[in-house]
Amino acid sequence: MKINLTHKSAQEIKQKFSFFTEENWQTEKAHFNQNLEGIFSAKKDETFIVVEDEKVHFLIGLGENPQNFEIQASAEKFTYDFRKKLKATNTEINADSFKNLQIESLVKGLFLGTYEYPFKAEHAIFSSDFQLILSNLSEENLQDLITKTSAICEGQFACMEWLNKPQNFKRVPHISEFLTEISTQYHFKQTVFDRKKSGEIGLGAFLSVNQGSSQEAAFTILEYHSENPNAKTIGLVGKCVLFDTGGISIKGSENLHYMKSDMGGATAVIGTLIAAAKMKLPVHIIAILPITDNAVSNTAYIPSDVIKAYNGKTIEVLNTDAEGRMTLADGLSYLSKNYKTDILIDLATLTGSSVRMFGYTCGAYFSNNENLKKSLEKSGDQTNQRLWNLPLWDIWKDDFKSDVADFKNISSKPFGDCIVAGKFLEQFIEGHQNWAHLDIAGVAFGNVRYMKEKGATGYGVQLLIDFLENC
């Protein structure tokens, strides 16, 4: 996709976007020939169109004292709602009173609001005839804005596209081919362990989930290395269950079709890798995606099985629908044992418990490091991809002790499953002192403007990029 941003040109401007807070509208409204009193007041998401001398002027309200993420959200809504009315022409943005970060939020929102599934870059603002003209940025800041907007769009759209795809369009060969393509494009080092190789190196917990599948396993490692050899190394593990039937502990049929979204952790990681590479962020990233589905078959793992994980710990399976923590256990321990990372983060659409606790408002997260907690929360607040911290007290470990193995994969108690899952995963980080687990089940997939039912939100990409920029 092309981000058509430029300074003022000599060409005639036929379209204009003006964004106003309620406060600055009180000053700016005097500049209009028409009396707009009572017609437009710059309330949040209010839009009014003025036509003057064949120029179409869109007035967009931002409400009272909007935060940057609210500016982005209003711009997204505007370009989506008016996608059939905007023209592919020279378009001026009036944001003279805005600071650089506000302008960045505004422009990101305008482009992110173009997303529809499947994404085809057919919105007017991707046309070669469209030029978005900003007059109040230096050339350096303008180029930085183009790079960042392009990176965030590429990353977030990839995240959303793969989460939205139907199950039969995202089988293991499909996503593996895509990962190979982006590895070539962005110079990632790619390593893939199939079922045979995974067995040889001892990825038992991951393979237990895959053994019921007709599809090959693809335990995938992607490495992004920045030009700075002394940069921090960030480990990311994304749950990548392409479709989750629940296995032998099969899920009910109601809303089962939404289980195509059970790879939301992986898609957030994929989008982050793409955006980080396009921005050339000065960090190294080691990403692990344990790719499989969770199927029902005569070879599927069953309750009462005892599985040996990569780190040698044994797991008694009580519920095959707790498959995400099985794949993540091997992902975390493999990364911890084979790579030295400064920070380790896993993301997963893991538990209904986190949804029941927080709904669609924020992700639940767990961490063993206070500085990491503060950094993640700050990035969550900056991007509105929010997180709320829950405890990792040792008392929760008692709930998944097993009589026949080191651990059970669930607690038998009817509460606190997202905490139990976080505490369970802690047993596989090999003593890493700077780890966080993000349970994003309620926020990765939900009500979105571009679908009648639920769709991908893109949650995680902007959160992680903001975190990586400031870590």
Side-chain angles (χ1 to χ4, degrees):
M1 73 184 66
K2 182 172 173 55
I3 305 298
N4 299 310
L5 272 177
T6 184
H7 291 300
K8 279 191 175 179
S9 67
Q11 296 173 303
E12 183 181 2
I13 295 172
K14 296 184 178 180
Q15 190 168 251
K16 187 173 183 179
F17 303 157
S18 291
F19 291 83
F20 303 102
T21 65
E22 291 182 43
E23 182 180 5
N24 66 21
W25 172 246
Q26 296 306 311
T27 302
E28 295 292 331
K29 65 182 179 182
H31 299 153
F32 290 84
N33 295 330
Q34 301 97 322
N35 180 6
L36 299 179
E37 196 69 44
I39 298 175
F40 179 78
S41 56
K43 297 289 185 185
K44 181 175 171 58
D45 298 332
E46 182 182 10
T47 305
F48 188 76
I49 303 172
V50 176
V51 180
E52 294 178 335
D53 301 324
E54 298 184 357
K55 179 191 293 184
V56 180
H57 192 171
F58 293 87
L59 314 183
I60 304 105
L62 297 173
E64 186 177 358
N65 300 319
Q67 297 185 61
N68 291 343
F69 67 79
E70 292 173 311
I71 293 173
Q72 177 181 309
S74 291
E76 284 186 45
K77 186 176 189 304
F78 166 68
T79 44
Y80 181 80
D81 288 350
F82 287 84
R83 63 195 181 281
K84 296 181 180 178
K85 295 182 172 64
L86 299 181
K87 304 300 182 184
T89 186
N90 297 313
T91 302
E92 182 180 11
I93 289 187
N94 174 22
D96 291 342
S97 63
F98 285 19
K99 298 176 181 177
N100 282 0
L101 286 178
Q102 292 174 311
I103 294 173
E104 178 185 304
S105 298
L106 189 62
V107 172
K108 278 194 302 183
L110 290 173
F111 283 90
L112 287 170
T114 64
Y115 183 80
E116 294 183 82
Y117 178 77
F119 180 70
K120 296 179 181 177
E122 293 178 347
H123 194 286
I125 71 173
F126 289 115
S127 168
S128 58
D129 295 325
F130 183 92
Q131 289 290 331
L132 196 59
I133 300 165
L134 279 167
S135 59
N136 53 340
L137 283 181
S138 68
E139 182 63 32
E140 181 181 1
N141 286 339
L142 185 71
Q143 292 306 313
D144 287 345
L145 181 54
I146 291 171
T147 298
K148 186 165 187 178
T149 301
S150 175
I152 293 296
C153 285
E154 292 277 5
Q156 187 159 313
F157 290 175
C159 167
M160 295 161 77
E161 199 78 358
W162 278 97
L163 206 56
N164 282 326
K165 284 180 185 290
Q167 183 271 155
N168 56 323
F169 286 92
K170 58 179 177 190
R171 296 181 183 271
V172 174
H174 298 141
I175 191 165
S176 294
E177 181 180 3
F178 173 74
L179 294 177
T180 298
E181 289 173 359
I182 64 170
S183 295
T184 300
Q185 181 177 356
Y186 298 110
H187 309 291
F188 302 146
K189 180 182 177 182
Q190 182 185 24
T191 306
V192 182
F193 301 144
D194 62 11
R195 188 177 287 163
K196 180 180 178 182
K197 184 63 176 178
S198 295
E200 289 173 357
I201 64 177
L203 296 169
F206 166 64
L207 280 179
S208 69
V209 178
N210 177 256
Q211 72 185 48
S213 177
S214 62
Q215 302 182 58
E216 255 292 359
F219 189 91
T220 302
I221 306 162
L222 300 176
E223 302 178 41
Y224 160 72
H225 294 283
S226 77
E227 297 174 356
N228 178 4
N230 299 316
K232 286 184 178 180
T233 299
I234 313 299
L236 298 177
V237 182
K239 178 184 173 183
C240 198
V241 176
L242 301 177
F243 192 88
D244 181 18
T245 66
I248 297 297
S249 307
I250 195 165
K251 294 177 181 288
S253 61
E254 186 178 3
N255 294 326
L256 185 58
H257 58 295
Y258 289 145
M259 286 301 99
K260 68 178 184 177
S261 70
D262 212 19
M263 57 183 293
T267 55
V269 170
I270 292 167
T272 300
L273 278 168
I274 291 171
K278 287 186 73 70
M279 292 170 67
K280 297 183 178 179
L281 289 184
V283 294
H284 307 311
I285 302 173
I286 311 298
I288 289 187
L289 309 174
I291 303 172
T292 183
D293 61 352
N294 186 23
V296 183
S297 77
N298 65 329
T299 60
Y301 76 141
I302 62 175
S304 83
D305 281 356
V306 172
I307 307 299
K308 186 176 181 181
Y310 179 77
N311 68 350
K313 300 293 185 182
T314 54
I315 305 166
E316 180 188 8
V317 177
L318 296 193
N319 190 323
T320 63
D321 194 23
E323 86 298 332
R325 67 198 71 180
M326 301 290 286
T327 66
L328 289 173
D330 275 354
L332 286 166
S333 58
Y334 185 88
L335 202 157
S336 297
K337 282 179 172 292
N338 293 280
Y339 296 90
K340 180 176 173 55
T341 58
D342 298 288
I343 297 168
L344 177 60
I345 300 173
D346 72 82
L347 299 92
T349 49
L350 204 62
T351 67
S353 170
S354 68
V355 184
R356 290 188 292 275
M357 189 173 298
F358 296 121
Y360 310 116
T361 304
C362 67
Y365 89 102
F366 307 79
S367 179
N368 60 3
N369 186 285
E370 290 300 320
N371 290 331
L372 181 56
K373 287 180 185 179
K374 291 175 184 177
S375 295
L376 284 170
E377 286 186 10
K378 184 177 180 181
S379 291
D381 290 342
Q382 289 286 343
T383 60
N384 200 34
Q385 296 187 341
R386 289 195 162 112
L387 297 164
W388 191 263
N389 183 232
L390 291 171
L392 282 170
W393 299 326
D394 284 341
I395 192 172
W396 291 94
K397 190 174 176 181
D398 293 337
D399 288 352
F400 57 91
K401 285 184 177 177
S402 169
D403 292 326
V404 296
D406 291 309
F407 313 116
K408 301 179 293 189
N409 74 333
I410 63 166
S411 165
S412 299
K413 295 179 179 178
F415 48 76
D417 186 47
C418 65
I419 300 177
V420 169
K423 194 66 183 175
F424 175 89
L425 292 176
E426 187 184 33
Q427 313 312 309
F428 298 90
I429 62 174
E430 308 309 307
H432 201 295
Q433 296 299 302
N434 206 3
W435 162 72
H437 160 59
L438 279 56
D439 188 337
I440 61 173
V443 286
F445 198 81
N447 296 324
V448 289
R449 66 173 63 92
Y450 64 85
M451 280 191 171
K452 292 179 181 178
E453 295 190 31
K454 292 182 179 182
T457 65
Y459 183 98
V461 176
Q462 293 187 63
L463 166 71
L464 289 177
I465 288 297
D466 186 85
F467 171 78
L468 293 173
E469 286 184 296
N470 296 287
C471 72

